[in-house]
Amino acid sequence: MHRKVIAPSVLAASLLLVIPASAASSVQGAPGIGDPYYPTSGNTGYDVSHYDLRLQYQPATDLLEGTATLLATAKQDLSRFNLDFGLKVSEIRVNGAKAKFATSGVHELEVTPAQVLQKDKPATVVVKYAGKPSEFKVDGWSAWQRTPDGGVAAQEPDSAVWWFPSNDHPLDKATFDISVNVPDGTQAISNGVLQSQSSRLGWTRYNWRSNKPQATYLATLAIGKFDVTTDKTASGLPILNAYSRDLGDNAGAARASVERTGEVAEWLEGVFGPYPFNALGGYVPNVPSGFALETQTRPFYSPRQFANGANVQVVVHELAHQWYGDSVSVDGWKDIWINEGFARYSQWLWSEKEGEGTAQELAAWAYGLRPADDPFWQVKPGDPGPDNQFHGAVYDRGAIALQALRNEIGDEKFFKILKGWPAERAYGNARVGDFVRYAEKVSDKPLAQLFETWLYTPGKPAFAPPAAAPPAARSLTAPAAKPVEPKSWKKIAATDSVHEH
């Protein structure tokens, strides 16, 4: 869940691959990875396999100094390649030799190595830089949130450019080592497992490792003063949660929600299969924004998510993304339903487990909330467009689509699909069409029309209850019926604020 969308017109200036005429024979990449929503985001010229980020941050001044080492492989001979980045760069070395570099566009870093990068050969890119992340703006806006005692990087679809250079698209996933030096008494929270920490001359360095492929927008960094809790799941997964020390009235509700992370993850394993990563947790910094985000292994939660009391539903949603969104990531941003429809449906399943309303009852209630002429029904969850990428229809209509699938094929095959899909696509990327074909294979039923109706056809579809439902249940979706609001609905609806920046 998320929420600042950078306009396509802005991202169109990023990650261009410039081809000098004299080097045309050695450069054949396209100026962008091919995302229809953000046409020049990413780069087809290379793949990054690992990021090593060595950072130092001073909360008092917002000064971030860094050395980023990228391990990459060229996909064709490259005489020039580009990175997404917004801070001031002082030096770049490629395979040990100094490289020429220039900036252009909004956050484009053009790199010309001393020697052409050869196709299929590994390359090492070292970028030294410094700057104040909050001062770098795109359309007058910064993804870096300053806090009273530090700063936070957590946004979708883009946050990396504010703190490290990258090939910034989910198609290019990599492992991460993130080492952060901060003044004593301040902590640095990031993805994965805390490998070590050490203090020297008034500074403390935290070393984090995320050892499974991770999209750049899922990398996170939170610097401040936190109360940290640790635990383990029944299977031995380490849990680390962090709470800003100045959450005020929201502190208790935040802890009462996020401390259930292990319990929720264990339940989700029964729905989606084994947890795909080696660490678990969440963090709640003192930020004014109201959203939450599925940053890999350690989701970000705004304290405003808990302004009206504990809400485990937001934890369910962000942890479900660890399977649907983080391990299996979008192939392109138009495939966002693969993330959000499933995360919302996981909330309905949690409600069903807790006896606070079945998924069918929640689907019927969501279906009945809006009349046929409501603009809600004009948004296509399978391709909502960049302006509606995080529209409520992607979540609620997207989840109703899954209930329609469940009603069509029955529980046995439905839950086999929910568990099999993350295993088949683990640590990769997928399109909506890939899921449709997988569902057809597992169910042995033609489902293209069902998904076409629910995901791609504007207008309010007919919503049929399960064929085996008793008359009372079947009446839930009758035009004249007025379903009873499920007990869980308000808690689930409260998480809708995560759509807002």
Side-chain angles (χ1 to χ4, degrees):
M1 300 187 154
H2 332 3
R3 320 359 288 209
K4 172 67 178 183
V5 180
I6 298 177
S9 60
V10 173
L11 283 186
S14 68
L15 278 177
L16 295 177
L17 182 64
V18 179
I19 307 176
S22 61
S25 62
S26 61
V27 180
Q28 299 176 358
I33 214 161
D35 193 303
Y37 286 8
Y38 307 104
T40 55
S41 177
N43 194 304
T44 59
Y46 62 94
D47 284 321
V48 180
S49 61
H50 184 73
Y51 292 91
D52 182 273
L53 309 179
R54 191 167 180 86
L55 312 173
Q56 179 165 297
Y57 182 73
Q58 175 53 263
T61 61
D62 194 40
L63 179 63
L64 178 69
E65 300 171 275
T67 299
T69 302
L70 285 65
L71 304 183
T73 301
K75 297 167 71 175
Q76 68 256 328
D77 292 348
L78 292 174
S79 64
R80 184 180 290 183
F81 63 93
N82 285 34
L83 299 167
D84 264 343
F85 195 45
L87 302 186
K88 184 175 178 59
V89 173
S90 58
E91 180 182 275
I92 298 179
R93 289 179 179 265
V94 179
N95 292 332
K98 281 190 176 182
K100 296 179 181 180
F101 62 93
T103 59
S104 64
V106 178
H107 49 76
E108 186 180 345
L109 182 61
E110 302 173 356
V111 182
T112 305
Q115 300 292 328
V116 169
L117 298 186
Q118 297 181 18
K119 180 182 178 181
D120 297 331
K121 298 291 185 180
T124 302
V125 181
V126 179
V127 183
K128 295 184 179 181
Y129 57 93
K132 297 182 178 182
S134 64
E135 293 184 358
F136 171 59
K137 302 292 176 65
V138 175
D139 278 355
W141 172 83
S142 174
W144 180 270
Q145 299 185 75
R146 289 204 73 182
T147 64
D149 51 13
V152 174
Q155 271 289 353
E156 183 183 23
D158 185 50
S159 67
V161 296
W162 277 267
W163 62 292
F164 67 95
S166 69
N167 190 12
D168 196 16
H169 191 276
L171 275 176
D172 193 0
K173 301 164 80 169
T175 54
F176 281 75
D177 282 316
I178 299 176
S179 177
V180 190
N181 207 29
V182 293
D184 285 348
T186 301
Q187 294 133 297
I189 306 297
S190 192
N191 310 84
V193 175
L194 181 62
Q195 302 291 298
S196 63
Q197 69 182 72
S198 59
S199 296
R200 182 175 182 270
L201 301 177
W203 292 77
T204 301
R205 181 167 291 279
Y206 294 83
N207 298 300
W208 295 89
R209 171 167 290 177
S210 194
N211 69 349
K212 296 296 184 184
Q214 176 174 288
T216 48
Y217 86 93
L218 295 172
T220 193
L221 178 62
I223 296 168
K225 296 180 179 180
F226 295 94
D227 289 329
V228 175
T229 67
T230 59
D231 201 353
K232 288 185 178 181
T233 65
S235 61
L237 273 174
I239 305 171
L240 185 146
N241 298 320
Y243 308 89
S244 176
R245 295 175 187 171
D246 54 357
L247 292 179
D249 292 343
N250 296 332
R255 287 174 182 261
S257 306
V258 179
E259 286 300 304
R260 296 183 69 180
T261 289
E263 173 195 351
V264 172
E266 289 174 5
W267 170 75
L268 283 168
E269 284 191 307
V271 180
F272 297 146
Y275 181 73
F277 306 116
N278 68 344
L280 196 60
Y283 72 96
V284 189
N286 183 17
V287 293
S289 59
F291 63 92
L293 183 65
E294 65 270 14
T295 39
Q296 192 159 304
T297 71
R298 190 147 291 110
F300 158 87
Y301 302 98
S302 161
R304 279 171 51 190
Q305 287 292 309
F306 312 107
N308 295 315
N311 193 348
V312 181
Q313 282 285 357
V314 69
V315 177
V316 172
H317 187 108
E318 302 310 332
L319 289 182
H321 274 311
Q322 304 305 306
W323 286 262
Y324 284 84
D326 294 9
S327 178
V328 185
S329 301
V330 295
D331 187 87
W333 283 109
K334 73 174 184 177
D335 300 303
I336 192 67
W337 172 76
I338 285 179
N339 291 16
E340 301 304 342
F342 291 82
R344 174 51 52 89
Y345 194 77
S346 73
Q347 296 176 276
W348 294 2
L349 291 177
W350 177 264
S351 170
E352 194 167 287
K353 168 188 133 11
E354 294 289 284
E356 296 184 339
T358 66
Q360 172 65 23
E361 290 166 345
L362 285 156
W365 181 259
Y367 180 83
L369 277 180
R370 301 171 180 89
D373 60 354
D374 193 300
F376 173 92
W377 297 107
Q378 297 304 309
V379 176
K380 300 178 292 184
D383 188 2
D387 292 338
N388 288 319
Q389 200 171 331
F390 302 113
H391 191 278
V394 177
Y395 295 71
D396 284 343
R397 179 171 174 168
I400 298 171
L402 288 171
Q403 184 61 33
L405 172 65
R406 181 179 177 182
N407 293 348
E408 176 69 19
I409 65 176
D411 278 11
E412 181 181 353
K413 290 181 179 178
F414 178 76
F415 286 103
K416 185 177 180 180
I417 289 169
L418 288 192
K419 190 173 288 187
W421 171 256
E424 178 154 309
R425 292 280 177 163
Y427 313 119
N429 302 78
R431 301 175 182 177
V432 173
D434 297 325
F435 179 82
V436 173
R437 286 185 289 274
Y438 180 78
E440 288 184 321
K441 181 179 73 173
V442 173
S443 67
D444 196 27
K445 294 189 71 169
L447 299 170
Q449 187 56 55
L450 182 148
F451 285 107
E452 180 67 26
T453 297
W454 280 100
L455 301 184
Y456 296 103
T457 305
K460 186 173 183 176
F463 179 45
R474 288 200 296 272
S475 69
L476 283 174
T477 53
K482 292 186 178 180
V484 176
E485 179 181 312
K487 287 179 61 178
S488 60
W489 180 257
K490 285 186 172 59
K491 288 292 186 181
I492 294 171
T495 66
D496 287 347
S497 64
V498 297
H499 306 162
E500 302 168 1
H501 168 59

